[in-house]
């Protein structure tokens, strides 16, 4: 399903850049498949498209139908991997304008991913008097941003529907055995879904974490999982011909050759939040021990008129990975008798033809400017192609982390800001750190 073109990378790397890393790639692939090595306990995502919990999957679909019948709005509360994957898939498959479209499914809003008062008040105003439900997603239930948001929306539900009515509108996706949210969900009788122990947050989009909001949006999660399973099966065969191995080797080779930034580019505007999900996946997985490519993203062709100058002639510290989907439909450019814009040479041609040539011309220009380009081509945007791409990027990320010799499945650096924030907020137990920080401030 996925075609990988590395021809515009090869001039920047030795000819044997894949085979020279074959032993390391074999070891990395073995660690992923055997769930061993650094972070091996968090590699449950590797077999997930085949071994997912079928009973819970059925409950997810049933809960999604209930939400669709009961509510005009679903508020999804989570941060990082607890919301980016769902939003990425919904915007890519159902449109960034999903909430503006006429549909039989609820509007879906995301909360608990920041601390902006203005954004919170705007969201409450957008819900208005409409019936709504909440899907709160947190393994612990104590992460500040989603915990604060859940307090607010839980109180709103209870005020609107009473405690009993609110109970039937709250869906908790959390740890199977422990944690504050698990305890509250048990005590209150919320319907619960599991954040698997063996799947870290940024790899969790194909678990209940992502699947419940995605299904509530009317997206076919069976087809989504089917695409991911196809990727799992195709990428499990190792060797230099494996596109995941090739891409991981190219990324590692370019990094060792001095490239420090990977720009993910796509010519489809709905891809924006998929790129945000990708940035967390790679940034949290590789960025540690003073190592790792910095993941960034651009939206073409729009950013060719803004960031294009830097990409073409700025510091030669980056390479691009371009994702190209086949178009779903066709739009023919009309003829203009006056030809004011001088574009009648395009009359009668599909708009997709213009986009194709823009992409090809851009790749050549950027390569000539010293920016290697990886091209990933897929069929039209759909559940199967998106599921395949999710798994492809996850698998390459696991390989890449092991090539860097870091643990691709932990995120110790994320805790630093949390400790400082807790101290400055006056959380009990942080008194000494609070005093130290206030002196520095």
């Amino acid at each position: 399903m996925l075609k990988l073109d590395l021809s515009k990378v090869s001039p920047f790397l030795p000819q044997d850049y894949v085979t020279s890393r074959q032993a390391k790639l074999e070891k990395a692939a073995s660690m992923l498949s055997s769930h061993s090595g650094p972070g091996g306990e968090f590699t449950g995502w590797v077999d997930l498209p085949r071994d997912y919990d079928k009973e819970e999957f059925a409950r997810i679909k049933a809960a999604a139908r209930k939400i669709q019948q009961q509510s005009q709005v679903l508020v999804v509360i989570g941060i990082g991997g607890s919301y980016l994957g769902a939003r990425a898939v919904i915007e890519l498959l159902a449109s960034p304008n999903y909430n503006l479209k006429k549909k039989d499914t609820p509007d879906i809003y995301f909360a608990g991913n920041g601390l902006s008062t203005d954004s919170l008040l705007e969201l409450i105003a957008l819900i208005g008097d409409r019936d709504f439900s909440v899907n709160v997603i947190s393994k612990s239930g104590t992460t500040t941003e989603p915990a604060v948001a859940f307090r607010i929306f839980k109180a709103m539900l209870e005020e609107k529907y009473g405690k009993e009515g609110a109970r039937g509108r709250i869906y908790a996706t959390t740890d199977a055995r422990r944690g504050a949210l698990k305890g509250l969900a048990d005590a209150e009788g919320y319907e619960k879904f599991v954040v698997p122990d063996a799947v870290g947050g940024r790899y969790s989009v194909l678990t209940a974490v992502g699947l419940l909001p995605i299904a509530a949006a009317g997206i076919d999660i069976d087809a989504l999982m089917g695409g991911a399973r196809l990727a799992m099966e195709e990428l499990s065969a190792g060797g230099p011909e494996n596109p995941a191995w090739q891409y991981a080797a190219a990324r590692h080779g370019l990094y060792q050759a001095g490239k420090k930034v990977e720009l993910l580019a796509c010519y489809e505007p709905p891809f924006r939040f998929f790129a945000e999900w990708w940035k967390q996946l790679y940034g949290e997985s590789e960025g540690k021990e003073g190592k790792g490519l910095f993941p960034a993203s651009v939206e073409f062709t729009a950013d060719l008129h803004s960031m294009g100058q830097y990409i073409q002639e700025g510091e030669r510290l980056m390479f691009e990975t371009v994702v190209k989907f086949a178009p779903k439909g066709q739009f023919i450019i009309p003829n203009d008798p006056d030809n004011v814009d001088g574009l009648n040479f395009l009359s009668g041609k599909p708009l997709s033809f213009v986009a194709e040539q823009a992409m090809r011309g851009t790749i050549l220009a950027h390569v000539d400017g010293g920016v290697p380009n990886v091209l990933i081509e897929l069929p039209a945007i759909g559940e199967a192609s998106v599921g395949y791409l999710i798994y492809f990027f996850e698998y390459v990320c696991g390989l890449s982390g092991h090539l860097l010799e870091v643990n691709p499945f932990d995120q110790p650096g994320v805790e630093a800001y949390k400790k400082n924030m807790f101290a400055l907020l006056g959380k009990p137990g942080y008194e000494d750190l609070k005093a130290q920080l206030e002196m520095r401030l």
Side-chain angles (χ1 to χ4, degrees), residues 255-272:
Y255 176 69
Q256 290 191 323
K259 302 300 182 183
K260 302 302 180 186
V261 176
E262 181 175 11
L263 278 179
L264 186 69
C266 187
Y267 287 73
E268 300 294 338
F271 194 78
R272 177 190 167 200

Side-chain angles (χ1 to χ4, degrees), residues 50 84 252 310 316 389:
R50 180 192 62 213
L84 276 172
H252 189 247
Y310 190 97
R316 302 297 77 192
L389 187 61

Side-chain angles (χ1 to χ4, degrees), residues 333-347:
I333 298 172
N335 186 67
D336 180 358
D338 297 325
N339 197 27
V340 174
D341 53 17
L343 294 179
N344 269 356
F345 69 96
L346 297 177
S347 298

Side-chain angles (χ1 to χ4, degrees), residues 321-437:
T321 295
V322 180
V323 176
K324 177 183 180 293
F325 293 97
K328 289 181 182 177
Q330 186 167 273
F331 188 89
I332 302 300
I333 298 172
N335 186 67
D336 180 358
D338 297 325
N339 197 27
V340 174
D341 53 17
L343 294 179
N344 269 356
F345 69 96
L346 297 177
S347 298
K349 291 184 170 61
L351 183 60
S352 58
F353 170 78
V354 181
E356 174 83 11
Q357 305 320 311
M359 183 196 75
R360 295 173 70 192
T362 299
I363 289 174
L364 291 175
H366 288 179
V367 169
D368 289 346
V371 179
N373 263 249
V374 176
L375 178 61
I376 296 172
E377 296 185 78
L378 293 131
I381 296 170
E383 284 89 347
S385 59
V386 171
Y388 194 107
L389 187 61
I390 287 170
Y391 191 89
F392 175 78
F393 276 138
E394 288 180 343
Y395 192 73
V396 170
C397 190
L399 293 176
S400 295
H402 287 314
L403 286 179
L404 272 180
E405 298 182 348
V406 300
N407 181 344
F409 309 112
D410 67 356
Q411 53 282 337
V414 174
E415 300 304 315
Y417 99 89
K418 292 182 181 179
K419 291 178 183 176
N420 287 355
M421 180 177 67
F422 288 152
L424 292 170
L425 287 170
K427 185 174 181 176
Y430 288 79
E431 292 80 5
D432 290 345
L433 180 58
K434 183 176 190 291
Q436 295 171 23
L437 295 176

Side-chain angles (χ1 to χ4, degrees), residues 22-23 61 105 149 162 223 225-227 252 267-268 279 290 307 401 410 429:
Q22 185 160 345
K61 292 193 284 188
T105 52
M225 293 296 283
H252 189 247
Y267 287 73
E268 300 294 338
K279 285 191 283 189
M307 292 298 292
D410 67 356

Side-chain angles (χ1 to χ4, degrees), residues 1-2 229-238 242-243 388:
M1 179 181 288
L2 180 146
R229 179 166 182 167
L230 178 62
M232 181 193 78
E233 292 168 350
E234 292 185 351
L235 301 178
S236 64
N242 185 315
Y388 194 107

Side-chain angles (χ1 to χ4, degrees), residues 127-260:
I127 296 170
D129 294 329
R130 293 185 291 170
D131 288 318
F132 73 101
S133 296
V134 167
N135 176 205
V136 55
I137 306 165
S138 176
K139 194 163 179 64
S140 66
T142 58
T143 303
T144 304
E145 295 91 336
V148 168
F150 183 51
R151 276 194 175 206
I152 293 165
F153 286 100
K154 176 175 174 286
M156 287 174 57
L157 283 170
E158 290 178 350
E159 181 179 353
K160 187 177 178 74
Y161 302 104
K163 282 190 72 72
E164 184 62 32
R167 182 176 294 120
R169 291 176 175 272
I170 296 174
Y171 303 84
T173 307
T174 189
D175 192 274
R177 291 177 294 278
R178 63 183 74 86
L181 181 56
K182 169 66 165 63
L184 178 64
D186 286 344
E188 295 290 341
Y190 304 150
E191 183 163 7
K192 299 183 295 294
F193 298 95
V194 174
V195 180
D197 287 337
V199 181
R202 58 190 176 273
Y203 292 85
S204 67
V205 61
L206 297 176
T207 72
V209 170
L211 292 178
L212 179 56
I214 291 167
I219 292 167
D220 184 348
I221 59 174
D222 288 287
L224 188 73
M225 293 296 283
R229 179 166 182 167
L230 178 62
M232 181 193 78
E233 292 168 350
E234 292 185 351
L235 301 178
S236 64
E241 301 306 312
N242 185 315
W245 285 36
Q246 293 174 356
Y247 180 35
R251 296 180 76 252
H252 189 247
L254 291 167
Y255 176 69
Q256 290 191 323
K259 302 300 182 183
K260 302 302 180 186

